[in-house]
Amino acid sequence: MTTDPYASDAGRLKAALARWLTDHGFADPATGATELLHMVRGHGWRVVEALQPPPEPRPTQDLPAEYLAVKAALTNRERTPE
Protein backbone atom coordinates (compact mmCIF):
# COMPACT_ATOMS: atom_id res chain seq x y z
CA MET A 1 0.00 0.00 0.00
CA THR A 2 1.28 3.44 -0.89
CA THR A 3 1.56 6.24 1.66
CA ASP A 4 1.81 8.90 -1.04
CA PRO A 5 -1.28 11.14 -0.78
CA TYR A 6 -0.71 12.29 -4.36
CA ALA A 7 -0.24 8.84 -5.93
CA SER A 8 -3.40 8.95 -8.05
CA ASP A 9 -2.62 12.48 -9.28
CA ALA A 10 0.95 11.48 -10.02
CA GLY A 11 -0.36 8.47 -11.94
CA ARG A 12 -2.64 10.67 -14.04
CA LEU A 13 0.23 13.06 -14.78
CA LYS A 14 2.50 10.14 -15.71
CA ALA A 15 -0.17 8.75 -18.06
CA ALA A 16 -0.62 12.16 -19.69
CA LEU A 17 3.14 12.50 -20.15
CA ALA A 18 3.36 8.99 -21.63
CA ARG A 19 0.54 9.79 -24.09
CA TRP A 20 2.30 12.96 -25.17
CA LEU A 21 5.61 11.16 -25.59
CA THR A 22 3.90 8.39 -27.59
CA ASP A 23 2.20 10.95 -29.83
CA HIS A 24 5.56 12.57 -30.51
CA GLY A 25 7.34 9.34 -31.42
CA PHE A 26 9.55 8.72 -28.38
CA ALA A 27 11.04 5.21 -28.33
CA ASP A 28 10.18 4.41 -24.69
CA PRO A 29 7.37 6.72 -23.53
CA ALA A 30 6.72 4.91 -20.22
CA THR A 31 10.32 5.35 -19.06
CA GLY A 32 10.40 8.93 -20.30
CA ALA A 33 7.17 9.71 -18.45
CA THR A 34 8.57 8.24 -15.23
CA GLU A 35 11.72 10.34 -15.53
CA LEU A 36 9.74 13.51 -16.25
CA LEU A 37 7.44 12.82 -13.30
CA HIS A 38 10.47 12.47 -10.98
CA MET A 39 11.89 15.75 -12.28
CA VAL A 40 8.58 17.60 -11.87
CA ARG A 41 8.04 16.28 -8.34
CA GLY A 42 11.67 17.03 -7.45
CA HIS A 43 11.05 20.66 -8.33
CA GLY A 44 8.13 20.95 -5.94
CA TRP A 45 5.07 19.91 -7.97
CA ARG A 46 2.14 19.17 -5.74
CA VAL A 47 -1.53 18.84 -6.43
CA VAL A 48 -3.43 22.12 -6.23
CA GLU A 49 -6.07 21.83 -3.50
CA ALA A 50 -8.59 23.81 -5.53
CA LEU A 51 -8.51 21.16 -8.26
CA GLN A 52 -9.39 18.30 -5.94
CA PRO A 53 -12.82 16.73 -6.26
CA PRO A 54 -15.34 18.10 -3.77
CA PRO A 55 -15.98 16.09 -0.61
CA GLU A 56 -18.98 13.81 -0.44
CA PRO A 57 -22.05 15.70 0.81
CA ARG A 58 -23.10 15.09 4.39
CA PRO A 59 -26.29 13.17 4.86
CA THR A 60 -29.04 15.59 5.84
CA GLN A 61 -30.52 13.31 8.49
CA ASP A 62 -27.50 14.10 10.72
CA LEU A 63 -28.25 17.83 10.70
CA PRO A 64 -30.41 19.56 13.33
CA ALA A 65 -34.02 20.26 12.36
CA GLU A 66 -33.58 24.00 13.02
CA TYR A 67 -30.71 24.14 10.53
CA LEU A 68 -32.70 22.26 7.89
CA ALA A 69 -35.67 24.61 8.35
CA VAL A 70 -33.53 27.73 7.91
CA LYS A 71 -31.76 26.21 4.93
CA ALA A 72 -35.08 25.34 3.27
CA ALA A 73 -36.39 28.86 3.89
CA LEU A 74 -33.28 30.39 2.31
CA THR A 75 -33.41 28.02 -0.65
CA ASN A 76 -37.10 28.70 -1.31
CA ARG A 77 -37.09 32.47 -0.80
CA GLU A 78 -37.86 34.75 -3.68
CA ARG A 79 -35.06 36.84 -4.94
CA THR A 80 -35.66 40.56 -5.03
CA PRO A 81 -34.47 42.42 -8.13
CA GLU A 82 -31.49 44.62 -7.48
Side-chain angles (χ1 to χ4, degrees):
M1 183 166 165
T2 182
T3 59
D4 182 1
Y6 304 114
S8 66
D9 296 299
R12 288 194 341 260
L13 176 59
K14 183 178 173 183
L17 291 170
R19 279 192 308 274
W20 187 89
L21 292 171
T22 300
D23 292 345
H24 288 81
F26 281 79
D28 189 0
T31 301
T34 300
E35 291 298 319
L36 287 170
L37 180 64
H38 288 303
M39 290 186 329
V40 168
R41 291 188 88 180
H43 282 75
W45 171 79
R46 296 295 178 263
V47 179
V48 177
E49 276 302 313
L51 298 177
Q52 296 304 302
E56 292 294 320
R58 275 180 61 185
T60 56
Q61 68 266 19
D62 295 343
L63 299 173
E66 297 84 17
Y67 171 83
L68 293 174
V70 170
K71 182 178 178 188
L74 288 172
T75 302
N76 297 327
R77 73 179 176 184
E78 289 186 29
R79 298 211 175 244
T80 56
E82 295 179 19

